[in-house]
PDB file of all heavy atoms in Angstrom:
ATOM      1  N   THR M 111     -29.030  -8.988  12.800  1.00 94.00           N
ATOM      2  CA  THR M 111     -29.048  -7.493  12.827  1.00 94.00           C
ATOM      3  C   THR M 111     -28.845  -7.093  14.184  1.00 94.00           C
ATOM      4  O   THR M 111     -28.068  -6.019  14.529  1.00 94.00           O
ATOM      5  CB  THR M 111     -30.270  -7.035  12.267  1.00 94.00           C
ATOM      6  OG1 THR M 111     -30.486  -7.469  10.949  1.00 94.00           O
ATOM      7  CG2 THR M 111     -30.265  -5.443  12.297  1.00 94.00           C
ATOM      8  N   VAL M 112     -29.324  -7.791  15.174  1.00 94.00           N
ATOM      9  CA  VAL M 112     -29.126  -7.439  16.607  1.00 94.00           C
ATOM     10  C   VAL M 112     -27.649  -7.422  17.109  1.00 94.00           C
ATOM     11  O   VAL M 112     -27.174  -6.463  17.556  1.00 94.00           O
ATOM     12  CB  VAL M 112     -29.980  -8.389  17.509  1.00 94.00           C
ATOM     13  CG1 VAL M 112     -29.649  -8.238  18.989  1.00 94.00           C
ATOM     14  CG2 VAL M 112     -31.432  -8.187  17.306  1.00 94.00           C
ATOM     15  N   VAL M 113     -27.117  -8.565  16.579  1.00 94.00           N
ATOM     16  CA  VAL M 113     -25.737  -8.694  16.985  1.00 94.00           C
ATOM     17  C   VAL M 113     -24.670  -7.528  16.261  1.00 94.00           C
ATOM     18  O   VAL M 113     -23.924  -6.995  16.835  1.00 94.00           O
ATOM     19  CB  VAL M 113     -25.160 -10.101  16.652  1.00 94.00           C
ATOM     20  CG1 VAL M 113     -23.693 -10.132  16.896  1.00 94.00           C
ATOM     21  CG2 VAL M 113     -25.843 -11.046  17.599  1.00 94.00           C
ATOM     22  N   LEU M 114     -24.952  -7.472  14.932  1.00 95.00           N
ATOM     23  CA  LEU M 114     -24.310  -6.466  14.262  1.00 95.00           C
ATOM     24  C   LEU M 114     -24.446  -5.049  14.835  1.00 95.00           C
ATOM     25  O   LEU M 114     -23.516  -4.348  14.930  1.00 95.00           O
ATOM     26  CB  LEU M 114     -24.756  -6.321  12.789  1.00 95.00           C
ATOM     27  CG  LEU M 114     -24.088  -5.377  11.796  1.00 95.00           C
ATOM     28  CD1 LEU M 114     -22.549  -5.662  11.803  1.00 95.00           C
ATOM     29  CD2 LEU M 114     -24.639  -5.369  10.437  1.00 95.00           C
ATOM     30  N   ASP M 115     -25.628  -4.687  15.108  1.00 95.00           N
ATOM     31  CA  ASP M 115     -25.888  -3.411  15.806  1.00 95.00           C
ATOM     32  C   ASP M 115     -25.141  -3.177  17.081  1.00 95.00           C
ATOM     33  O   ASP M 115     -24.573  -2.138  17.416  1.00 95.00           O
ATOM     34  CB  ASP M 115     -27.442  -3.165  15.968  1.00 95.00           C
ATOM     35  CG  ASP M 115     -28.156  -2.951  14.738  1.00 95.00           C
ATOM     36  OD1 ASP M 115     -27.499  -2.681  13.549  1.00 95.00           O
ATOM     37  OD2 ASP M 115     -29.342  -3.067  14.693  1.00 95.00           O
ATOM     38  N   GLU M 116     -25.129  -4.319  17.870  1.00 94.00           N
ATOM     39  CA  GLU M 116     -24.430  -4.213  19.149  1.00 94.00           C
ATOM     40  C   GLU M 116     -22.842  -4.101  18.944  1.00 94.00           C
ATOM     41  O   GLU M 116     -22.329  -3.273  19.672  1.00 94.00           O
ATOM     42  CB  GLU M 116     -24.659  -5.539  19.977  1.00 94.00           C
ATOM     43  CG  GLU M 116     -26.121  -5.731  20.445  1.00 94.00           C
ATOM     44  CD  GLU M 116     -26.254  -7.051  21.298  1.00 94.00           C
ATOM     45  OE1 GLU M 116     -25.236  -7.814  21.274  1.00 94.00           O
ATOM     46  OE2 GLU M 116     -27.357  -7.204  21.774  1.00 94.00           O
ATOM     47  N   VAL M 117     -22.327  -4.800  18.059  1.00 95.00           N
ATOM     48  CA  VAL M 117     -20.913  -4.717  17.656  1.00 95.00           C
ATOM     49  C   VAL M 117     -20.510  -3.289  17.214  1.00 95.00           C
ATOM     50  O   VAL M 117     -19.526  -2.687  17.651  1.00 95.00           O
ATOM     51  CB  VAL M 117     -20.493  -5.778  16.575  1.00 95.00           C
ATOM     52  CG1 VAL M 117     -18.982  -5.502  16.325  1.00 95.00           C
ATOM     53  CG2 VAL M 117     -20.599  -7.159  17.204  1.00 95.00           C
ATOM     54  N   VAL M 118     -21.422  -2.750  16.240  1.00 96.00           N
ATOM     55  CA  VAL M 118     -20.996  -1.445  15.628  1.00 96.00           C
ATOM     56  C   VAL M 118     -21.135  -0.489  16.807  1.00 96.00           C
ATOM     57  O   VAL M 118     -20.305   0.456  16.831  1.00 96.00           O
ATOM     58  CB  VAL M 118     -21.989  -1.102  14.597  1.00 96.00           C
ATOM     59  CG1 VAL M 118     -21.991   0.367  14.186  1.00 96.00           C
ATOM     60  CG2 VAL M 118     -21.769  -2.005  13.347  1.00 96.00           C
ATOM     61  N   GLU M 119     -22.146  -0.541  17.658  1.00 96.00           N
ATOM     62  CA  GLU M 119     -22.286   0.469  18.777  1.00 96.00           C
ATOM     63  C   GLU M 119     -21.150   0.358  19.826  1.00 96.00           C
ATOM     64  O   GLU M 119     -20.617   1.393  20.203  1.00 96.00           O
ATOM     65  CB  GLU M 119     -23.564   0.179  19.518  1.00 96.00           C
ATOM     66  CG  GLU M 119     -23.920   1.079  20.616  1.00 96.00           C
ATOM     67  CD  GLU M 119     -25.211   0.812  21.357  1.00 96.00           C
ATOM     68  OE1 GLU M 119     -25.975  -0.039  20.904  1.00 96.00           O
ATOM     69  OE2 GLU M 119     -25.513   1.543  22.260  1.00 96.00           O
ATOM     70  N   MET M 120     -20.591  -0.847  20.067  1.00 95.00           N
ATOM     71  CA  MET M 120     -19.433  -0.982  20.925  1.00 95.00           C
ATOM     72  C   MET M 120     -18.295  -0.210  20.394  1.00 95.00           C
ATOM     73  O   MET M 120     -17.497   0.480  21.091  1.00 95.00           O
ATOM     74  CB  MET M 120     -19.146  -2.504  21.164  1.00 95.00           C
ATOM     75  CG  MET M 120     -19.948  -3.104  22.359  1.00 95.00           C
ATOM     76  SD  MET M 120     -19.287  -4.716  22.772  1.00 95.00           S
ATOM     77  CE  MET M 120     -20.111  -5.635  21.509  1.00 95.00           C
ATOM     78  N   PHE M 121     -17.985  -0.410  19.091  1.00 96.00           N
ATOM     79  CA  PHE M 121     -16.790   0.080  18.411  1.00 96.00           C
ATOM     80  C   PHE M 121     -16.956   1.572  18.152  1.00 96.00           C
ATOM     81  O   PHE M 121     -15.908   2.252  18.377  1.00 96.00           O
ATOM     82  CB  PHE M 121     -16.424  -0.518  17.007  1.00 96.00           C
ATOM     83  CG  PHE M 121     -15.713  -1.891  17.376  1.00 96.00           C
ATOM     84  CD1 PHE M 121     -16.442  -3.187  17.219  1.00 96.00           C
ATOM     85  CD2 PHE M 121     -14.328  -2.016  17.671  1.00 96.00           C
ATOM     86  CE1 PHE M 121     -15.676  -4.351  17.407  1.00 96.00           C
ATOM     87  CE2 PHE M 121     -13.726  -3.136  17.866  1.00 96.00           C
ATOM     88  CZ  PHE M 121     -14.391  -4.293  17.713  1.00 96.00           C
ATOM     89  N   ILE M 122     -18.099   2.080  17.928  1.00 96.00           N
ATOM     90  CA  ILE M 122     -18.237   3.475  17.865  1.00 96.00           C
ATOM     91  C   ILE M 122     -18.009   4.136  19.207  1.00 96.00           C
ATOM     92  O   ILE M 122     -17.364   5.169  19.313  1.00 96.00           O
ATOM     93  CB  ILE M 122     -19.627   3.861  17.326  1.00 96.00           C
ATOM     94  CG1 ILE M 122     -19.802   3.506  15.899  1.00 96.00           C
ATOM     95  CG2 ILE M 122     -20.031   5.243  17.587  1.00 96.00           C
ATOM     96  CD1 ILE M 122     -21.211   3.686  15.291  1.00 96.00           C
ATOM     97  N   GLY M 123     -18.403   3.421  20.302  1.00 94.00           N
ATOM     98  CA  GLY M 123     -18.132   3.896  21.564  1.00 94.00           C
ATOM     99  C   GLY M 123     -16.588   3.882  22.003  1.00 94.00           C
ATOM    100  O   GLY M 123     -16.197   4.665  22.793  1.00 94.00           O
ATOM    101  N   MET M 124     -15.833   3.095  21.157  1.00 95.00           N
ATOM    102  CA  MET M 124     -14.382   3.115  21.438  1.00 95.00           C
ATOM    103  C   MET M 124     -13.661   4.006  20.313  1.00 95.00           C
ATOM    104  O   MET M 124     -12.384   4.046  20.294  1.00 95.00           O
ATOM    105  CB  MET M 124     -13.841   1.634  21.205  1.00 95.00           C
ATOM    106  CG  MET M 124     -14.338   0.763  22.380  1.00 95.00           C
ATOM    107  SD  MET M 124     -13.326  -0.868  22.338  1.00 95.00           S
ATOM    108  CE  MET M 124     -14.271  -1.706  21.056  1.00 95.00           C
ATOM    109  N   GLY M 125     -14.493   4.795  19.575  1.00 95.00           N
ATOM    110  CA  GLY M 125     -13.875   5.755  18.745  1.00 95.00           C
ATOM    111  C   GLY M 125     -13.639   5.418  17.314  1.00 95.00           C
ATOM    112  O   GLY M 125     -12.931   5.996  16.577  1.00 95.00           O
TER     113      GLY M 125
END
Side-chain angles (χ1 to χ4, degrees):
T111 305
V112 172
V113 172
L114 177 59
D115 290 347
E116 289 179 357
V117 173
V118 170
E119 184 176 353
M120 274 190 281
F121 277 104
I122 289 177
M124 289 189 281

